[in-house]
């Protein structure tokens, strides 16, 4: 059992902190929201008054915050309280440059930090089945790994600091583009008179297969249960996909990488969010392609 600081108890962090407590860790939890703190207390964490209080005496400091600016400001505060043996673990999805800056600032104080963004949504955070992609030294990874293992099903060392965020941004750019491509294929299949379930049965065992197709089919009643079956409520919000695509586009611009499909996906999700649809699951992007719902008249 370790003493662990957990800062950022929102949709994701709330479930993650609860899993650490379930594993018997002594979790000192902080969030700006009183409701989030109350929920963490119910889940077995000890609510504290500040990020600094949470970090005091902790062996690991975990953050799950909205964006890079929050991460940078919280760590600026936390560094002063962190014990030299503590490992800082930022699980938020942020830009690679900020992740590296935070790690350098930690190193300048003799502290170690990893970036450890996640794949898997709110349900995986609650179930403790997240995938963590971790950037940092081998030593830092070794210290972070047992903490992350209590919250996930896979913990993968991606490379040096920033490599976890790099993997996340590339994965989600791929996901955004394959989701739109999967939606297009379903729409065209219907226009050609194919039954969507029959097309699913074929494509999910053929070379067009992808996670967007097999595990998350964007049409109601097709494939396994997915947000499409709940009118695109819950799941992974289109606004969060847009956030990740913006990070990917910024990274592509920084590195001179040519990412035309990612850029097109970012444009489509920009327009979708601007039309007020950002709260829907990201597979609802199929609505912009005007499909026929299965069973509806021609
Ligand atoms: P959220 O907005 O629900 O939670 C963020 C929490 O951080 C909030 O409770 C907020 O009060 C708290 N917070 C903000 N600033 C703070 C500060 N200075 N000190 C303490 N607490 C502070 O967001 P979320 O959905 O939990 O996402 C968190 C991160 O995880 C994001 O970076 C997101 O991109 C990433 N992520 C989310 C999902 C998802 O499905 N929601 C999936 C993968 C990754």
């Amino acid at each position: 059992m370790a003493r662990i600081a957990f800062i950022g108890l929102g949709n994701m962090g709330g479930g993650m902190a609860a899993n650490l407590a379930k594993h018997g860790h002594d979790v000192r939890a902080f969030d700006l929201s009183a409701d989030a703190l109350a929920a963490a207390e119910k889940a077995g964490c000890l609510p504290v008054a500040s990020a600094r209080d949470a970090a005091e005496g902790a062996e690991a400091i975990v953050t799950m915050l909205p964006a890079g600016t929050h991460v940078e400001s919280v760590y600026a505060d936390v560094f002063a309280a962190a014990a030299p043996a503590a490992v800082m673990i930022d699980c938020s999805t942020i830009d690679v440059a900020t992740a590296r800056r935070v790690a350098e600032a930690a190193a300048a104080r003799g502290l170690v930090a990893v970036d450890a963004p996640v794949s898997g949504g709110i349900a995986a955070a609650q179930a403790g089945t997240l995938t963590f992609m971790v950037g940092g030294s081998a030593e830092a990874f070794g210290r972070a790994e047992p903490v992350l293992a209590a919250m996930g099903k896979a913990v993968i060392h991606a490379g040096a600091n920033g490599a976890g965020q790099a993997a996340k941004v590339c994965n989600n750019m791929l996901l955004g583009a394959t989701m739109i491509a999967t939606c297009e294929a379903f729409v065209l299949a219907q226009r050609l008179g194919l039954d969507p379930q029959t097309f699913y049965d074929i494509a999910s065992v053929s070379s067009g297969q992808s996670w967007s197709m097999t595990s998350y089919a964007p049409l109601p009643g097709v494939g396994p249960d997915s947000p499409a079956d709940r009118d695109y409520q819950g799941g992974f919000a289109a606004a969060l996909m847009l956030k990740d695509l913006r990070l990917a586009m910024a990274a592509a611009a920084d590195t001179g990488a040519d990412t035309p499909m990612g850029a097109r996906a970012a444009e489509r999700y920009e327009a979708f969010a601007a039309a007020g649809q950002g709260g829907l699951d990201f597979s609802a992007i199929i609505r912009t392609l005007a499909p026929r719902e299965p069973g509806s008249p021609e």
Side-chain angles (χ1 to χ4, degrees):
M1 174 169 125
R3 186 191 288 191
I4 299 174
F6 204 110
I7 301 156
L9 307 159
N11 289 322
M12 296 292 290
M16 293 163 70
N19 280 319
L20 288 174
K22 248 187 236 160
H23 276 76
H25 293 300
D26 169 11
V27 183
R28 309 283 161 111
F30 177 66
D31 195 289
L32 298 175
S33 147
D35 287 351
L37 274 178
E41 186 171 21
K42 261 197 196 142
C45 305
L46 181 71
V48 296
S50 69
R52 209 179 264 231
D53 284 354
E56 201 92 48
E59 289 151 62
I61 299 164
V62 185
T63 44
M64 192 53 164
L65 296 160
T69 50
H70 308 91
V71 171
E72 221 160 10
S73 74
V74 164
Y75 277 104
D77 200 23
V78 152
F79 282 148
V87 58
M88 337 261 128
I89 307 172
D90 179 37
C91 297
S92 327
T93 302
I94 66 169
D95 60 288
V96 174
T98 302
R100 288 188 179 140
R101 258 199 323 276
V102 167
E104 279 161 20
R109 288 165 178 80
L111 302 166
V112 292
V114 296
D115 45 296
V118 307
S119 179
I122 298 162
Q126 284 168 354
T129 55
L130 294 166
T131 293
F132 292 92
M133 32 204 114
V134 186
S137 67
E139 190 223 330
F141 177 76
R143 280 154 74 179
E145 210 258 342
V147 176
L148 296 174
M151 302 184 282
K153 64 171 165 39
V155 183
I156 300 167
H157 192 194
N161 286 109
Q165 298 296 353
K168 169 78 184 173
V169 98
C170 294
N171 180 74
N172 279 28
M173 182 179 76
L174 181 60
L175 175 62
T178 55
M179 177 52 80
I180 295 173
T182 301
C183 292
E184 286 178 7
F186 271 114
V187 170
L188 180 59
Q190 281 181 289
R191 293 292 163 101
L192 292 169
L194 276 170
D195 172 64
Q197 180 64 45
T198 303
F199 175 61
Y200 170 88
D201 292 341
I202 294 166
S204 61
V205 293
S206 299
S207 48
Q209 187 273 339
S210 70
W211 185 87
S212 298
M213 165 69 69
T214 314
S215 303
Y216 217 85
L219 274 181
V222 177
D225 182 65
S226 72
D229 298 305
R230 294 181 292 280
D231 208 21
Y232 304 99
Q233 301 300 314
F236 180 50
L240 287 177
M241 172 52 82
L242 175 58
K243 173 194 165 184
D244 293 352
L245 286 167
R246 283 178 179 154
L247 289 173
M249 291 307 96
D254 281 353
T255 56
D258 193 14
T259 54
M261 305 302 284
R264 193 72 190 107
E267 282 168 17
R268 299 290 300 208
Y269 279 103
E270 284 287 356
F272 196 53
Q277 306 299 304
L280 293 178
D281 178 73
F282 80 118
S283 63
I285 196 86
I286 195 167
R287 287 184 170 165
T288 66
L289 302 166
R292 281 196 304 115
E293 302 276 319
S296 68
E298 293 276 343

